[in-house]
Amino acid sequence: MKPMPEKSKARLPKGKRAILILLPLALVLAGLAAWQFAHREREYQLDSFAMGSYVQLTVWGREPEEGAAETVQRIEKLEREISWRRDGDIGKMNAQAGGEPVTVEDTGELLAELLELCERSGWALDITLGPVTRLWDFDGEPHLPDEKELEKALALVDYRKLSMDSEEYWYEVPTEDGYHLDCVGTKYHVSLKEPGMAIDLGAVGKGAACDEAAELIYREGISGMAASVGGSVCLRGEKPGGGPFRVSVRDPKGDQAGSLGVFELDGGYISTSGSYEKYFEQDGKRYHHILDPSTGRPAESGLVSVTVWCPPGMVARWPGALSDGLATACFVLGKTDGLALLESYGAEGLFIDENDVITVTEGLKDRFSLTAGGYSLGEAG
Ligand code: ADP
Ligand code: MG
């Protein structure tokens, strides 16, 4: 018998075999690295303009771009609803003053929170100051109003004549597994009781925009964010690598870029109101844009600037708007009453008075470093 020839195995040279095994592995690793690179934590910055001021967004996360763009749109939508210059919710309420109520949802919730602030501030804040702020026209051509006109306008200012009825209603939200969630919403029917009355949310608009921006943190792939809208800032989530957010406050005596000092905060909402922001001079006297609702004239409380911090965890539906409204209210109230108002809300603050004395509340003391010269630190309370 002829022996069967041994089956010949085609063998690759050793070097080529190694390449064949390693190539798929390398491709997998390269793919993984590319995926990780595309989905790594990144910082993204977006600048825009809304609410009459600059909007700066800094977003950290795996997919920050889309979320940031969406945030700008949310702020623009809010502006349409709450600016008295537009034809959204507030525009309609003003147009229908003395007549039919306007039915709203989110704007109603905001108004409810603000009406409480008007009340608790002892009339330092009044969101129906519209007839008076229009006369001064700080955003257009600022000028001293005619005495008689001011008196007439002032008679129309009274937040207690903003009437709000609310009703709850149920609605269904479908879930992914074919069921639905029963949810409850609130509708508010809002009316201004007298013709000529007008809501002006100028004192809280930028803070409210921060509340709108804050929703971004709930988006998939976002780990942290900082939004600044004019003098209001919102801080949410974490920065890559951790550590506090650093927020610098403007030096009232310096130019636009001059810094008074730096806050190191782990989140929350911070707003500043200052008499140096918008003002004009006439016959040697300076008139600024923060008005005392009881006189219709610039508040004279001995303060130059108030910064308010609503810390994370504070119970409020619109904590950004609240920080902004509190800053304006504290400016009108002055240091002593302003400090008491902040305490009642569990908020913190920094006050600068006309003698360059800075007062910082207990909860902010260790978080603030003064860097500008020419100021002294006073005692709170
Ligand atoms: P800014 O708009 O410069 O951030 P504020 O937050 O202090 O400053 O808001 C000032 C604006 O709010 C004014 O331009 C005016 O429209 C309105 N306003 C001024 N004083 C009051 C007040 N006491 N209550 C309610 N609104 C006010
Ligand atoms: Mg304000």
Side-chain angles (χ1 to χ4, degrees):
M1 263 197 357
K2 240 175 146 188
M4 290 282 285
E6 217 176 88
K7 245 190 193 166
S8 68
K9 274 188 192 158
R11 280 183 172 255
L12 284 171
K14 264 201 180 131
K16 284 204 174 143
R17 241 187 303 160
I19 288 173
L20 272 185
I21 294 167
L22 286 179
L23 194 65
L25 190 68
L27 285 175
V28 168
L29 287 177
L32 199 67
W35 188 90
Q36 274 184 333
F37 185 75
H39 291 82
R40 74 198 189 285
E41 289 268 308
R42 279 172 291 142
E43 178 179 295
Y44 178 66
Q45 291 209 349
L46 184 61
D47 290 352
S48 182
F49 192 85
M51 299 277 177
S53 49
Y54 287 103
V55 176
Q56 282 189 315
L57 291 174
T58 307
V59 187
W60 296 279
R62 286 180 280 108
E63 295 164 40
E65 291 85 359
E66 214 179 299
E70 186 194 76
T71 298
V72 170
Q73 285 171 2
R74 288 181 74 104
I75 294 175
E76 284 168 354
K77 180 168 181 305
L78 176 79
E79 182 178 9
R80 198 160 57 238
E81 300 301 353
I82 71 169
S83 166
W84 62 263
R85 293 178 186 82
R86 309 288 293 274
D87 58 0
D89 293 346
I90 298 297
K92 280 186 205 136
M93 289 169 198
N94 289 350
Q96 286 176 213
E100 288 297 300
V102 179
T103 301
V104 293
E105 292 201 26
D106 292 351
T107 306
E109 190 187 77
L110 172 64
L111 289 176
E113 188 131 78
L114 295 173
L115 284 179
E116 188 186 332
L117 177 56
C118 291
E119 181 72 24
R120 285 170 68 172
S121 74
W123 207 26
L125 190 82
D126 193 321
I127 55 172
T128 66
L129 202 57
V132 169
T133 56
R134 268 176 224 179
L135 286 183
W136 287 90
D137 199 15
F138 277 99
D139 294 320
E141 289 170 24
H143 62 276
L144 200 57
D146 172 76
E147 284 286 333
K148 287 232 163 67
E149 277 189 65
L150 184 59
E151 220 169 282
K152 262 202 267 171
L154 204 51
L156 291 165
V157 175
D158 188 347
Y159 67 89
R160 292 165 304 182
K161 290 185 185 162
L162 191 166
S163 111
M164 270 214 317
D165 296 320
S166 64
E167 69 179 293
E168 294 194 335
Y169 67 97
W170 289 92
Y171 62 98
E172 292 177 356
V173 176
T175 59
E176 279 175 9
D177 49 9
Y179 293 93
H180 66 258
L181 285 174
D182 286 325
C183 299
V184 66
T186 309
K187 278 184 187 160
Y188 298 84
H189 309 290
V190 186
S191 59
L192 290 165
K193 282 188 187 159
E194 284 178 35
M197 283 183 76
I199 300 171
D200 173 358
L201 298 186
V204 298
K206 292 164 192 137
C210 285
D211 286 312
E212 208 55 67
E215 295 292 312
L216 178 56
I217 200 68
Y218 301 114
R219 222 186 130 98
E220 177 86 22
I222 302 294
S223 53
M225 60 163 299
S228 93
V229 185
S232 291
V233 173
C234 134
L235 310 162
R236 304 277 321 247
E238 304 237 331
K239 294 190 299 176
F245 296 94
R246 290 169 62 81
V247 179
S248 109
V249 236
R250 194 179 137 190
D251 179 357
K253 288 193 288 188
D255 58 14
Q256 286 272 351
S259 167
L260 175 82
V262 177
F263 288 108
E264 291 199 328
L265 306 169
D266 48 0
Y269 299 78
I270 187 156
S271 293
T272 299
S273 278
S275 54
Y276 51 86
E277 296 278 355
K278 286 178 198 157
Y279 62 86
F280 65 90
E281 271 164 27
Q282 200 166 313
D283 303 328
K285 193 169 157 46
R286 193 188 259 218
Y287 299 91
H288 64 78
H289 74 314
I290 306 173
L291 308 175
D292 184 338
S294 64
T295 62
R297 295 164 194 284
E300 290 177 19
S301 59
L303 294 174
V304 176
S305 161
V306 180
T307 298
V308 172
W309 179 46
C310 289
M314 196 167 138
V315 185
R317 296 236 173 123
W318 291 78
L322 200 56
S323 70
D324 200 357
L326 278 169
T328 306
C330 287
F331 189 100
V332 175
L333 285 174
K335 194 176 105 174
T336 309
D337 291 345
L339 285 170
L341 180 65
L342 291 187
E343 198 176 347
S344 81
Y345 269 98
E348 306 287 340
L350 180 149
F351 296 63
I352 307 175
D353 73 16
E354 288 166 349
N355 300 317
D356 300 332
V357 177
I358 297 176
T359 305
V360 191
T361 57
E362 207 51 47
L364 260 185
K365 246 183 197 146
D366 297 338
R367 295 178 161 100
F368 176 68
S369 323
L370 177 66
T371 52
Y375 292 94
S376 61
L377 285 166
E379 279 301 307

